[in-house]
Amino acid sequence: MATADQDEFAPILPGAGGSDYERYLRTDELLALQKGPDEWVHRDELLFQTVHQSSELWLKLAANEVEQAARHLREKEIAPALRLLRRASLCLQLITAQLDMLEQMSPWEYQTIRKVLGHGSGFDSPGFREVRRVSPELGEAFHALRREAGLSIVDLYVRGREFEDLYQLAEALTEWDERVTIWRFRHYKVVSRIIGDEVVGTQGTPVELLGSLIKRNLYPELWRARNEITARSNEE
């Protein structure tokens, strides 16, 4: 028979699970998304799926925050946009750090897992597709505000203390861009460490192509401005 305390804290939310924690987070469904021991070709499949599935969740959150930040900027609301962009960049830091877990796999034993991935590739990541979709919108919203203030990017940096909010916004976009690049670089190094850097990936793409993509920036104009600032300083 249930005690009074047990009745008081009995689940009140609908759904499966013995507690409201489990029901709200849908832990039964969440924890059933990974292969079970009877399905593993190697026990490290749990590690591999955990890293990639959790990365997709963080990318989903990051893209959502960037998209909302762009909406704020279109309404000329810089402060809440900055708050959300800090969150988004932290999401990228987290998924970059957890790539360390993949390097705990043996290069030889991973080959067993690789054989059951089909044509699965990081190029097909829904989360990263969303990152690529929302990032240009953020850039456009930033540049609209900058142009409205009558500033080039270089002028914004030179006169940054006069336009503190716009300066901080430019730095937030640069941080977001940099975090995406660092994540891609770590992914490339993990792949190189596990399967090599002169081999072909699961979709027939050479691993070395991943390395070449590292040089692609979301906002190249913000990076070029650094060169122009240095050149301008050298001329003075």
Side-chain angles (χ1 to χ4, degrees):
M1 177 179 293
T3 66
D5 286 344
Q6 288 173 324
D7 288 338
E8 181 181 359
F9 296 106
I12 58 175
L13 298 178
S19 68
D20 280 336
Y21 177 91
E22 295 165 283
R23 293 182 181 187
Y24 179 76
L25 293 178
R26 299 167 69 176
T27 54
D28 284 359
E29 297 169 67
L30 179 65
L31 300 178
L33 294 176
Q34 298 77 43
K35 284 186 174 184
D38 57 332
E39 302 172 281
W40 295 339
V41 296
H42 188 280
R43 66 180 307 278
D44 281 354
E45 280 197 87
L46 180 57
L47 185 158
F48 188 85
Q49 286 193 311
T50 298
V51 169
H52 286 84
Q53 289 179 346
S54 57
S55 291
E56 290 297 333
L57 289 172
W58 286 118
L59 287 168
K60 178 181 180 179
L61 176 59
N64 185 271
E65 304 297 56
V66 168
E67 187 169 38
Q68 182 60 45
R71 293 193 192 102
H72 279 304
L73 294 184
R74 287 193 288 270
E75 297 297 324
K76 306 184 191 311
E77 300 167 346
I78 294 179
L82 288 173
R83 175 173 57 84
L84 296 180
L85 290 177
R86 284 193 293 269
R87 287 187 185 180
S89 290
L90 185 55
C91 288
L92 268 294
Q93 285 183 257
L94 291 169
I95 65 172
T96 299
Q98 71 178 22
L99 286 172
D100 291 356
M101 289 296 296
L102 296 180
E103 292 185 339
Q104 301 301 308
M105 295 188 298
S106 156
W108 177 250
E109 292 173 357
Y110 171 71
Q111 296 298 326
T112 302
I113 298 174
R114 191 175 182 226
K115 289 178 172 63
V116 299
L117 296 180
H119 297 299
S121 168
F123 286 112
D124 294 327
S125 163
F128 194 55
R129 277 202 305 271
E130 283 296 287
V131 165
R132 293 198 302 268
R133 181 183 67 82
V134 301
S135 293
E137 297 176 14
L138 178 67
E140 290 166 8
F142 160 71
H143 288 302
L145 290 175
R146 174 185 60 77
R147 286 191 293 267
E148 186 177 308
L151 296 167
S152 69
I153 297 175
V154 172
D155 288 339
L156 172 57
Y157 275 92
V158 171
R159 301 173 61 189
R161 300 291 77 86
E162 299 174 52
F163 301 91
E164 189 68 41
D165 286 350
L166 282 176
Y167 169 79
Q168 294 297 337
L169 184 57
E171 285 295 273
L173 265 70
T174 304
E175 176 77 8
W176 169 246
D177 196 340
E178 184 175 31
R179 289 298 170 187
V180 171
T181 299
I182 291 172
W183 174 60
R184 296 178 81 167
F185 173 75
R186 276 295 292 132
H187 180 254
Y188 164 68
K189 293 304 293 183
V190 168
V191 172
S192 299
R193 179 166 172 172
I194 300 297
I195 68 171
D197 59 3
E198 297 179 357
V199 299
V200 174
T202 47
Q203 288 190 350
T205 305
V207 169
E208 59 189 315
L209 177 63
L210 288 174
S212 67
L213 294 176
I214 293 168
K215 296 182 180 180
R216 294 188 182 180
N217 293 312
L218 296 171
Y219 312 115
E221 65 279 4
L222 285 171
W223 298 96
R224 285 195 301 268
R226 269 69 178 172
N227 297 319
E228 296 173 32
I229 289 168
T230 299
R232 179 168 172 173
S233 176
N234 290 339
E235 291 171 359
E236 294 180 354

